[in-house]
């Protein structure tokens, strides 16, 4: 008789059951079973399943890995499978493809769908490596990525449609998808500005959102102090080291 299928516990013999998720055998006693399914390792394996496209087929008492398209052998636990070269290589290849592309894999990895979802294109993609690669390289996707990144990088349209203006660098860029993305990803001045400012405001609860998204805005916003701060290194440093800001941080830490 099967026991606690929801938790991957199945009958094995008269004296013990097997946890399919963890690949271990447990004495066939309610106390032992409850102790196992409430344990940290078992709960971690359930989380890992939903993060790695692994599901339990209770009609066959077996685990199935969607990315690898295989049924796991009886002796292979969730963690053991995730560490295999085939699964790890798939994960690395997929992560490399979707990083920075606004593509969500959540529903695919939790076995709710066979598709990934592209947020910038508002479309589903059959979640196979060749399909994802094809999608991220389409002109429409690259264009949508550029439009999504412009207000996050202080880049604004000009009256002259041939150019856009980068507020961060105070310079003009040819208004094409390739030039805009190249500027964001590879321009040393642009990248150095972000690295310096982001390092400075880390853990300070200071937002650059309105500065970067508004062409005429001159200030960042300190959420701790509820004040605007001119968005340059000198002004931000002065504010961060000011008595009022330090006191606000101290109050929040005490809470």
């Amino acid at each position: 008789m099967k026991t606690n299928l929801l938790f991957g516990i199945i009958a094995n013999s008269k004296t013990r059951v097997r946890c399919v998720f963890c690949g271990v055998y447990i004495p066939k006693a309610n106390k032992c079973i409850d102790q196992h399914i409430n344990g940290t390792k078992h709960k971690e394996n359930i989380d890992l399943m939903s993060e790695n496209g692994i599901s339990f087929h209770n009609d066959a008492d077996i685990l199935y890995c969607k990315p690898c398209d295989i049924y796991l052998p009886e002796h292979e636990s969730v963690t053991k499978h995730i560490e295999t070269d085939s699964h790890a290589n798939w994960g690395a290849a997929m992560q490399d493809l979707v990083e920075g592309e606004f593509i969500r894999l959540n529903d695919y990895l939790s076995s709710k769908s066979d598709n990934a979802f592209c947020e910038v294109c508002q479309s589903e993609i059959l979640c196979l490596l060749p399909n994802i690669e094809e999608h991220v390289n389409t002109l429409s996707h690259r264009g949508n990525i550029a439009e999504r990144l412009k207000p996050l990088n202080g880049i604004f349209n000009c009256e002259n449609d041939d150019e856009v203006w980068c507020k961060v660098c105070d310079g003009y860029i040819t208004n094409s998808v390739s030039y805009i993305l190249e500027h964001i990803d590879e321009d040393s001045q642009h990248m150095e500005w972000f690295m310096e400012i982001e390092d400075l405001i880390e853990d300070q609860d200071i937002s650059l959102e309105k500065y970067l998204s508004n062409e005429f805005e001159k200030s960042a916003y300190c959420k701790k102090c509820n004040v605007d701060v001119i968005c340059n290194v000198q002004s931000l440093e002065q504010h961060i080291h000011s008595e009022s800001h330090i006191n606000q941080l101290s109050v929040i830490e005490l809470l």
Side-chain angles (χ1 to χ4, degrees), residues 84-171:
T84 61
D85 287 344
S86 59
H87 190 90
N89 289 341
W90 180 91
M94 184 60 77
Q95 182 60 32
D96 186 56
L97 278 177
V98 303
E99 186 173 6
E101 300 293 343
F102 298 93
I103 292 177
R104 294 203 311 258
L105 303 176
N106 309 56
D107 285 350
Y108 174 79
L109 292 175
S110 62
S111 300
K112 295 178 182 177
S113 171
D114 290 330
N115 300 320
F117 182 74
C118 179
E119 295 178 1
V120 294
C121 300
Q122 287 294 296
S123 63
E124 292 187 331
I125 315 147
L126 185 63
C127 197
L128 299 171
L129 289 169
N131 297 55
I132 301 292
E133 183 175 10
E134 180 181 1
H135 178 81
V136 299
N137 287 304
T138 60
L139 289 176
S140 59
H141 179 78
R142 302 318 302 157
N144 289 335
I145 286 287
E147 289 303 313
R148 175 66 70 92
L149 292 178
K150 281 161 66 176
L152 302 176
N153 283 270
I155 295 175
F156 301 93
N157 294 330
C158 301
E159 290 185 8
N160 173 7
D161 287 339
D162 293 335
E163 294 178 317
V164 292
W165 178 61
C166 178
K167 181 180 185 178
V168 168
C169 304
D170 192 19

Side-chain angles (χ1 to χ4, degrees), residues 163-213:
E163 294 178 317
V164 292
W165 178 61
C166 178
K167 181 180 185 178
V168 168
C169 304
D170 192 19
Y172 292 91
I173 311 160
T174 300
N175 187 15
S176 74
V177 171
S178 60
Y179 276 99
I180 292 170
L181 294 180
E182 181 180 343
H183 180 79
I184 291 170
D185 293 335
E186 299 180 22
D187 184 85
S188 58
Q189 181 182 352
H190 191 84
M191 293 189 295
E192 286 169 8
W193 184 91
F194 273 94
M195 286 189 288
E196 185 174 19
I197 295 291
E198 288 176 350
D199 283 348
L200 184 62
I201 66 174
E202 186 177 7
D203 298 326
Q204 299 297 326
D205 212 4
I206 294 175
S207 170
L208 303 176
E209 182 179 355
K210 71 173 185 175
Y211 174 78
L212 292 172
S213 61

